[in-house]
Amino acid sequence: MTMTKETLEQIKVQIRRVLKAEGFYAKLLEGVEVDTINSQKDFEKLPFSEKDDLRNAYPLGLSVVPEEDIVRIHSSSGTTGTPVIIPYTQKDVDDWAELFKRCYEIAGLTNKDRIHITPGYGLWTAGIGFQLGAEKLGAMAIPMGPGNTDKQIKFLEDMKSTVLCATSSYALLLAEEIQKRNLKDHIYLKKGIIGSERWGEKMRNRIAKELGVELYDIYGLTEVYGPGIAINCDYNTGMHYFDDFLYFEIIDPKTGKVLPEGELGELVITTLQKEGAPLIRYRTHDLTRIIPGTCPCGRSYPKIDVILGRTDDMVKVKGVNIFPGQIDDLLKEIEGASSEYQVFIEHADGKDRMTVFVETELGEEERITFETTLKEHFKTRIGVGIVPKAVVLGELPRSEKKTTRIFDYRY
Ligand code: ZN
Protein backbone atom coordinates (compact mmCIF):
# COMPACT_ATOMS: atom_id res chain seq x y z
CA MET A 1 0.00 0.00 0.00
CA THR A 2 1.16 3.49 -0.69
CA MET A 3 1.59 5.30 2.57
CA THR A 4 -0.16 8.66 2.86
CA LYS A 5 1.45 11.65 4.54
CA GLU A 6 -1.14 11.47 7.27
CA THR A 7 -0.35 7.79 7.97
CA LEU A 8 3.36 8.57 8.12
CA GLU A 9 2.69 11.33 10.67
CA GLN A 10 0.55 8.98 12.77
CA ILE A 11 3.32 6.38 12.72
CA LYS A 12 5.91 8.94 13.80
CA VAL A 13 3.76 9.89 16.77
CA GLN A 14 3.52 6.21 17.69
CA ILE A 15 7.28 5.69 17.38
CA ARG A 16 7.98 8.74 19.57
CA ARG A 17 5.66 7.31 22.21
CA VAL A 18 7.24 3.84 22.26
CA LEU A 19 10.75 5.30 22.36
CA LYS A 20 9.82 7.47 25.30
CA ALA A 21 8.31 4.55 27.22
CA GLU A 22 11.65 2.71 27.17
CA GLY A 23 9.96 -0.68 26.77
CA PHE A 24 10.94 -3.36 24.32
CA TYR A 25 10.28 -1.25 21.21
CA ALA A 26 12.70 1.35 22.51
CA LYS A 27 15.34 -1.39 22.53
CA LEU A 28 14.28 -2.70 19.13
CA LEU A 29 14.33 0.77 17.58
CA GLU A 30 17.47 1.89 19.40
CA GLY A 31 19.35 4.50 17.41
CA VAL A 32 16.37 5.35 15.20
CA GLU A 33 15.96 9.12 14.78
CA VAL A 34 12.25 9.76 14.28
CA ASP A 35 12.91 13.01 12.44
CA THR A 36 14.79 11.13 9.74
CA ILE A 37 11.74 8.99 8.86
CA ASN A 38 10.24 11.07 6.08
CA SER A 39 8.93 8.57 3.57
CA GLN A 40 7.51 5.11 3.15
CA LYS A 41 11.00 3.98 2.14
CA ASP A 42 12.46 5.27 5.41
CA PHE A 43 9.70 3.51 7.32
CA GLU A 44 10.40 0.24 5.51
CA LYS A 45 13.95 0.26 6.89
CA LEU A 46 12.64 -0.14 10.44
CA PRO A 47 12.99 -3.62 11.97
CA PHE A 48 10.04 -6.01 12.25
CA SER A 49 8.64 -7.12 15.58
CA GLU A 50 7.65 -10.70 16.34
CA LYS A 51 5.36 -12.50 18.73
CA ASP A 52 8.45 -13.68 20.64
CA ASP A 53 9.42 -10.05 21.29
CA LEU A 54 5.96 -9.47 22.75
CA ARG A 55 6.25 -12.62 24.82
CA ASN A 56 9.57 -11.42 26.25
CA ALA A 57 7.82 -8.28 27.48
CA TYR A 58 5.61 -10.41 29.79
CA PRO A 59 3.77 -9.39 31.89
CA LEU A 60 3.24 -5.67 31.25
CA GLY A 61 6.36 -4.63 29.37
CA LEU A 62 4.35 -3.73 26.27
CA SER A 63 2.51 -0.91 27.99
CA VAL A 64 3.52 2.61 26.99
CA VAL A 65 0.99 4.39 29.24
CA PRO A 66 0.88 5.00 33.02
CA GLU A 67 -0.74 2.13 34.90
CA GLU A 68 -3.80 4.21 35.84
CA ASP A 69 -4.69 4.50 32.14
CA ILE A 70 -4.91 0.74 31.62
CA VAL A 71 -8.51 -0.43 31.98
CA ARG A 72 -8.18 -4.01 30.79
CA ILE A 73 -5.77 -6.67 29.59
CA HIS A 74 -6.22 -9.47 27.11
CA SER A 75 -3.93 -12.37 26.45
CA SER A 76 -3.26 -14.25 23.28
CA SER A 77 -3.63 -17.97 23.42
CA GLY A 78 -0.06 -19.04 22.86
CA THR A 79 0.27 -22.76 22.16
CA THR A 80 3.27 -23.07 24.48
CA GLY A 81 5.05 -21.17 27.19
CA THR A 82 4.62 -17.58 28.22
CA PRO A 83 1.46 -15.79 27.06
CA VAL A 84 1.44 -12.37 25.45
CA ILE A 85 -0.35 -9.73 27.54
CA ILE A 86 -1.88 -6.77 25.71
CA PRO A 87 -2.90 -3.77 27.86
CA TYR A 88 -5.84 -1.62 26.65
CA THR A 89 -6.73 1.95 27.56
CA GLN A 90 -10.34 3.13 27.48
CA LYS A 91 -9.67 4.65 24.05
CA ASP A 92 -8.34 1.28 22.81
CA VAL A 93 -11.52 -0.44 23.99
CA ASP A 94 -13.67 2.26 22.37
CA ASP A 95 -11.68 2.10 19.14
CA TRP A 96 -12.01 -1.65 19.00
CA ALA A 97 -15.79 -1.32 19.45
CA GLU A 98 -15.83 1.22 16.61
CA LEU A 99 -13.86 -1.10 14.29
CA PHE A 100 -16.15 -3.99 15.14
CA LYS A 101 -19.25 -1.86 14.58
CA ARG A 102 -17.89 -1.00 11.12
CA CYS A 103 -17.45 -4.72 10.41
CA TYR A 104 -21.07 -5.39 11.35
CA GLU A 105 -22.22 -2.50 9.17
CA ILE A 106 -20.22 -3.80 6.20
CA ALA A 107 -22.00 -7.14 6.70
CA GLY A 108 -25.29 -5.23 6.52
CA LEU A 109 -26.28 -5.50 10.20
CA THR A 110 -28.39 -2.82 11.90
CA ASN A 111 -29.63 -2.03 15.41
CA LYS A 112 -32.63 -4.30 14.70
CA ASP A 113 -30.40 -7.38 14.60
CA ARG A 114 -30.11 -9.93 17.39
CA ILE A 115 -26.55 -11.14 17.54
CA HIS A 116 -25.94 -14.63 18.94
CA ILE A 117 -22.31 -14.76 20.11
CA THR A 118 -20.73 -18.20 20.54
CA PRO A 119 -16.99 -17.42 20.73
CA GLY A 120 -15.60 -17.67 24.28
CA TYR A 121 -15.36 -14.91 26.86
CA GLY A 122 -12.34 -14.43 29.08
CA LEU A 123 -8.70 -13.56 28.69
CA TRP A 124 -8.76 -13.85 24.96
CA THR A 125 -10.39 -11.31 22.74
CA ALA A 126 -13.09 -13.30 20.96
CA GLY A 127 -16.53 -13.09 22.62
CA ILE A 128 -16.16 -9.69 24.19
CA GLY A 129 -15.15 -8.10 20.88
CA PHE A 130 -18.26 -9.41 19.15
CA GLN A 131 -20.27 -8.01 22.06
CA LEU A 132 -18.62 -4.57 22.09
CA GLY A 133 -19.38 -4.16 18.40
CA ALA A 134 -22.99 -5.27 18.83
CA GLU A 135 -23.57 -2.80 21.63
CA LYS A 136 -21.89 0.02 19.73
CA LEU A 137 -24.16 -0.73 16.77
CA GLY A 138 -27.15 -0.71 19.09
CA ALA A 139 -28.07 -4.28 18.22
CA MET A 140 -29.09 -6.88 20.79
CA ALA A 141 -26.11 -8.94 21.94
CA ILE A 142 -26.85 -12.48 23.10
CA PRO A 143 -23.62 -13.46 24.91
CA MET A 144 -23.83 -17.27 24.76
CA GLY A 145 -20.18 -18.28 24.73
CA PRO A 146 -19.33 -21.75 23.42
CA GLY A 147 -20.78 -25.16 24.24
CA ASN A 148 -24.15 -26.57 25.41
CA THR A 149 -25.69 -27.18 22.02
CA ASP A 150 -29.21 -27.68 23.41
CA LYS A 151 -29.17 -24.27 25.03
CA GLN A 152 -27.66 -22.66 21.91
CA ILE A 153 -30.48 -24.01 19.77
CA LYS A 154 -33.14 -23.07 22.31
CA PHE A 155 -31.89 -19.48 22.35
CA LEU A 156 -31.58 -19.34 18.56
CA GLU A 157 -35.25 -20.36 18.40
CA ASP A 158 -36.71 -18.41 21.30
CA MET A 159 -34.67 -15.23 20.96
CA LYS A 160 -35.14 -15.32 17.18
CA SER A 161 -31.45 -14.51 16.68
CA THR A 162 -30.76 -13.06 13.24
CA VAL A 163 -26.96 -13.27 13.27
CA LEU A 164 -24.69 -16.11 14.34
CA CYS A 165 -21.09 -15.34 15.35
CA ALA A 166 -18.95 -18.48 15.49
CA THR A 167 -15.88 -20.31 14.34
CA SER A 168 -16.46 -22.28 11.15
CA SER A 169 -16.33 -25.60 12.97
CA TYR A 170 -18.87 -24.52 15.59
CA ALA A 171 -21.16 -23.03 12.96
CA LEU A 172 -21.04 -26.36 11.12
CA LEU A 173 -21.80 -28.29 14.31
CA LEU A 174 -24.85 -26.11 15.00
CA ALA A 175 -25.97 -26.32 11.38
CA GLU A 176 -25.81 -30.13 11.46
CA GLU A 177 -27.63 -30.28 14.76
CA ILE A 178 -30.40 -28.00 13.48
CA GLN A 179 -30.77 -30.17 10.40
CA LYS A 180 -30.81 -33.37 12.47
CA ARG A 181 -33.57 -32.01 14.69
CA ASN A 182 -35.44 -30.70 11.69
CA LEU A 183 -35.64 -27.21 13.20
CA LYS A 184 -34.67 -25.10 10.21
CA ASP A 185 -38.14 -23.52 10.05
CA HIS A 186 -37.77 -22.39 13.68
CA ILE A 187 -34.49 -20.59 13.08
CA TYR A 188 -34.47 -16.91 12.05
CA LEU A 189 -30.79 -16.52 11.19
CA LYS A 190 -29.97 -14.37 8.16
CA LYS A 191 -26.22 -13.94 8.49
CA GLY A 192 -23.21 -15.70 9.91
CA ILE A 193 -20.05 -13.87 10.98
CA ILE A 194 -17.28 -16.43 10.95
CA GLY A 195 -13.83 -15.97 12.47
CA SER A 196 -11.37 -15.97 9.62
CA GLU A 197 -9.35 -19.14 9.45
CA ARG A 198 -8.74 -21.44 6.55
CA TRP A 199 -11.98 -23.21 5.81
CA GLY A 200 -12.90 -24.97 2.62
CA GLU A 201 -15.57 -23.93 0.12
CA LYS A 202 -17.39 -27.20 0.81
CA MET A 203 -17.73 -26.38 4.50
CA ARG A 204 -18.75 -22.82 3.71
CA ASN A 205 -21.49 -23.95 1.34
CA ARG A 206 -22.79 -26.47 3.80
CA ILE A 207 -23.08 -23.95 6.65
CA ALA A 208 -24.70 -21.40 4.35
CA LYS A 209 -27.19 -23.92 3.00
CA GLU A 210 -28.11 -25.67 6.25
CA LEU A 211 -28.61 -22.43 8.14
CA GLY A 212 -29.93 -20.47 5.17
CA VAL A 213 -27.54 -17.60 5.84
CA GLU A 214 -25.05 -15.35 4.07
CA LEU A 215 -21.55 -15.77 5.51
CA TYR A 216 -18.90 -13.15 6.26
CA ASP A 217 -15.24 -13.75 7.18
CA ILE A 218 -14.06 -11.56 10.02
CA TYR A 219 -10.35 -11.19 10.78
CA GLY A 220 -8.29 -10.06 13.71
CA LEU A 221 -5.70 -11.00 16.31
CA THR A 222 -5.36 -10.24 20.00
CA GLU A 223 -2.13 -8.32 19.52
CA VAL A 224 -4.02 -5.87 17.27
CA TYR A 225 -7.24 -5.20 19.26
CA GLY A 226 -8.77 -8.64 18.49
CA PRO A 227 -11.27 -9.85 15.88
CA GLY A 228 -12.99 -7.04 14.02
CA ILE A 229 -10.19 -5.40 12.05
CA ALA A 230 -11.29 -6.70 8.62
CA ILE A 231 -14.38 -8.29 7.06
CA ASN A 232 -15.68 -9.10 3.59
CA CYS A 233 -18.60 -7.16 2.13
CA ASP A 234 -21.51 -8.51 0.05
CA TYR A 235 -19.35 -8.65 -3.07
CA ASN A 236 -17.09 -11.16 -1.35
CA THR A 237 -13.92 -10.08 -3.13
CA GLY A 238 -11.71 -9.85 -0.04
CA MET A 239 -11.89 -8.31 3.44
CA HIS A 240 -12.04 -4.55 3.90
CA TYR A 241 -9.69 -3.24 6.60
CA PHE A 242 -9.57 0.13 8.28
CA ASP A 243 -6.60 2.13 7.08
CA ASP A 244 -7.31 5.03 9.42
CA PHE A 245 -6.43 2.74 12.34
CA LEU A 246 -4.00 0.28 10.78
CA TYR A 247 -1.21 0.24 8.22
CA PHE A 248 -0.87 -3.09 6.37
CA GLU A 249 2.19 -4.30 4.48
CA ILE A 250 2.70 -7.60 2.68
CA ILE A 251 6.24 -8.96 2.81
CA ASP A 252 8.08 -11.94 1.44
CA PRO A 253 8.30 -14.06 4.60
CA LYS A 254 11.71 -15.40 3.63
CA THR A 255 13.46 -12.15 2.69
CA GLY A 256 11.42 -9.50 4.50
CA LYS A 257 11.09 -7.51 1.28
CA VAL A 258 7.89 -5.48 0.93
CA LEU A 259 5.84 -6.90 -1.96
CA PRO A 260 3.75 -4.98 -4.48
CA GLU A 261 -0.06 -4.95 -4.27
CA GLY A 262 -1.64 -8.22 -5.35
CA GLU A 263 1.32 -10.42 -4.45
CA LEU A 264 0.92 -13.13 -1.88
CA GLY A 265 2.98 -12.90 1.31
CA GLU A 266 2.94 -12.27 5.04
CA LEU A 267 0.75 -9.60 6.58
CA VAL A 268 2.66 -7.06 8.70
CA ILE A 269 0.64 -4.60 10.78
CA THR A 270 1.48 -1.20 12.28
CA THR A 271 -1.12 0.34 14.57
CA LEU A 272 -1.82 4.04 14.04
CA GLN A 273 -3.94 4.92 17.07
CA LYS A 274 -3.36 2.26 19.68
CA GLU A 275 -2.49 3.74 23.09
CA GLY A 276 -1.80 0.92 25.54
CA ALA A 277 0.40 -1.27 23.35
CA PRO A 278 1.17 0.18 19.92
CA LEU A 279 2.73 -2.21 17.42
CA ILE A 280 5.31 -1.28 14.81
CA ARG A 281 5.78 -3.58 11.80
CA TYR A 282 4.33 -6.57 13.62
CA ARG A 283 4.67 -9.86 11.73
CA THR A 284 1.40 -11.79 11.87
CA HIS A 285 2.67 -14.88 10.00
CA ASP A 286 -0.71 -14.89 8.23
CA LEU A 287 -0.58 -15.38 4.48
CA THR A 288 -2.67 -13.05 2.38
CA ARG A 289 -2.34 -10.30 -0.22
CA ILE A 290 -3.60 -6.78 -0.70
CA ILE A 291 -6.31 -6.80 -3.34
CA PRO A 292 -5.72 -3.95 -5.78
CA GLY A 293 -8.44 -1.71 -7.17
CA THR A 294 -11.73 -0.39 -5.86
CA CYS A 295 -14.59 -2.48 -4.53
CA PRO A 296 -17.97 -2.53 -6.32
CA CYS A 297 -19.58 -1.77 -2.92
CA GLY A 298 -18.11 1.74 -3.14
CA ARG A 299 -16.31 1.67 0.19
CA SER A 300 -12.87 3.24 0.13
CA TYR A 301 -11.41 0.91 2.77
CA PRO A 302 -8.71 -1.20 1.10
CA LYS A 303 -8.96 -4.98 1.03
CA ILE A 304 -6.90 -8.05 1.87
CA ASP A 305 -7.65 -11.56 0.71
CA VAL A 306 -9.07 -14.10 3.16
CA ILE A 307 -6.27 -15.70 5.16
CA LEU A 308 -4.79 -18.42 3.00
CA GLY A 309 -2.60 -20.06 5.63
CA ARG A 310 0.39 -19.51 7.89
CA THR A 311 3.78 -18.50 6.57
CA ASP A 312 5.41 -21.02 8.92
CA ASP A 313 4.03 -23.78 6.69
CA MET A 314 5.48 -22.23 3.54
CA VAL A 315 8.41 -23.54 1.51
CA LYS A 316 10.35 -22.02 -1.34
CA VAL A 317 11.10 -24.38 -4.24
CA LYS A 318 12.93 -23.25 -7.37
CA GLY A 319 12.26 -19.65 -6.38
CA VAL A 320 8.50 -20.18 -5.96
CA ASN A 321 6.76 -19.81 -2.60
CA ILE A 322 4.45 -22.76 -1.95
CA PHE A 323 2.13 -23.37 1.00
CA PRO A 324 -0.25 -26.22 1.88
CA GLY A 325 -3.44 -24.18 1.34
CA GLN A 326 -2.54 -23.70 -2.32
CA ILE A 327 -2.05 -27.43 -2.79
CA ASP A 328 -5.39 -28.16 -1.04
CA ASP A 329 -7.13 -25.84 -3.50
CA LEU A 330 -5.36 -27.30 -6.50
CA LEU A 331 -6.24 -30.89 -5.60
CA LYS A 332 -9.92 -29.99 -5.30
CA GLU A 333 -9.94 -29.24 -9.02
CA ILE A 334 -8.45 -32.55 -10.05
CA GLU A 335 -10.85 -35.40 -10.64
CA GLY A 336 -9.93 -38.49 -8.67
CA ALA A 337 -7.66 -36.69 -6.21
CA SER A 338 -8.42 -37.17 -2.51
CA SER A 339 -7.58 -34.45 -0.01
CA GLU A 340 -4.65 -36.50 1.34
CA TYR A 341 -1.19 -35.76 0.00
CA GLN A 342 2.47 -35.50 0.97
CA VAL A 343 5.27 -33.48 -0.53
CA PHE A 344 8.97 -34.33 -0.35
CA ILE A 345 11.55 -31.76 -1.34
CA GLU A 346 15.16 -32.75 -1.90
CA HIS A 347 18.21 -31.20 -3.38
CA ALA A 348 19.89 -33.48 -5.91
CA ASP A 349 22.27 -32.94 -8.82
CA GLY A 350 22.39 -29.22 -8.16
CA LYS A 351 18.65 -28.64 -8.23
CA ASP A 352 15.51 -28.92 -6.12
CA ARG A 353 13.24 -31.87 -6.70
CA MET A 354 9.66 -31.85 -5.43
CA THR A 355 7.82 -35.16 -5.31
CA VAL A 356 4.09 -35.02 -4.64
CA PHE A 357 2.23 -38.12 -3.45
CA VAL A 358 -1.56 -37.94 -3.80
CA GLU A 359 -4.06 -40.57 -2.75
CA THR A 360 -6.61 -41.60 -5.36
CA GLU A 361 -9.35 -44.17 -5.88
CA LEU A 362 -8.46 -44.47 -9.56
CA GLY A 363 -7.35 -47.82 -10.96
CA GLU A 364 -3.92 -48.69 -12.31
CA GLU A 365 -4.64 -47.66 -15.93
CA GLU A 366 -6.08 -44.26 -15.12
CA ARG A 367 -3.20 -43.27 -12.89
CA ILE A 368 -0.82 -42.32 -15.68
CA THR A 369 -3.29 -39.71 -16.95
CA PHE A 370 -3.94 -38.63 -13.37
CA GLU A 371 -0.25 -38.08 -12.75
CA THR A 372 0.11 -36.10 -15.96
CA THR A 373 -2.82 -33.88 -14.96
CA LEU A 374 -1.27 -33.39 -11.53
CA LYS A 375 2.03 -32.33 -13.06
CA GLU A 376 0.34 -29.90 -15.46
CA HIS A 377 -1.75 -28.30 -12.71
CA PHE A 378 1.30 -27.69 -10.52
CA LYS A 379 3.08 -26.12 -13.47
CA THR A 380 0.26 -23.80 -14.55
CA ARG A 381 -1.29 -22.98 -11.16
CA ILE A 382 1.73 -22.77 -8.87
CA GLY A 383 4.50 -22.46 -11.43
CA VAL A 384 6.66 -25.34 -10.30
CA GLY A 385 7.64 -28.63 -11.91
CA ILE A 386 7.00 -31.74 -9.79
CA VAL A 387 7.40 -35.50 -9.84
CA PRO A 388 3.80 -36.77 -9.46
CA LYS A 389 3.07 -40.05 -7.66
CA ALA A 390 -0.42 -41.53 -7.38
CA VAL A 391 -0.94 -43.80 -4.37
CA VAL A 392 -3.95 -45.82 -3.19
CA LEU A 393 -6.38 -44.45 -0.60
CA GLY A 394 -5.16 -44.89 2.96
CA GLU A 395 -1.53 -45.36 1.99
CA LEU A 396 -0.29 -42.05 3.40
CA PRO A 397 0.04 -41.85 7.18
CA ARG A 398 -2.70 -40.18 9.22
CA SER A 399 -2.19 -38.58 12.58
CA GLU A 400 -4.48 -37.36 15.31
CA LYS A 401 -2.85 -33.97 15.37
CA LYS A 402 -2.39 -31.60 12.48
CA THR A 403 -0.83 -33.71 9.76
CA THR A 404 2.51 -32.59 8.38
CA ARG A 405 2.27 -32.64 4.63
CA ILE A 406 5.44 -31.00 3.45
CA PHE A 407 8.83 -32.54 4.22
CA ASP A 408 11.83 -30.47 3.30
CA TYR A 409 15.09 -32.43 3.21
CA ARG A 410 17.24 -29.77 1.61
CA TYR A 411 18.87 -28.29 4.69
ZN1 ZN B 1 -16.67 -3.94 -0.68
Side-chain angles (χ1 to χ4, degrees), residues 233-235 237 240 295-299 303:
C233 65
D234 285 336
Y235 290 89
T237 54
H240 286 285
C295 189
C297 77
R299 290 183 183 87
K303 285 184 298 187

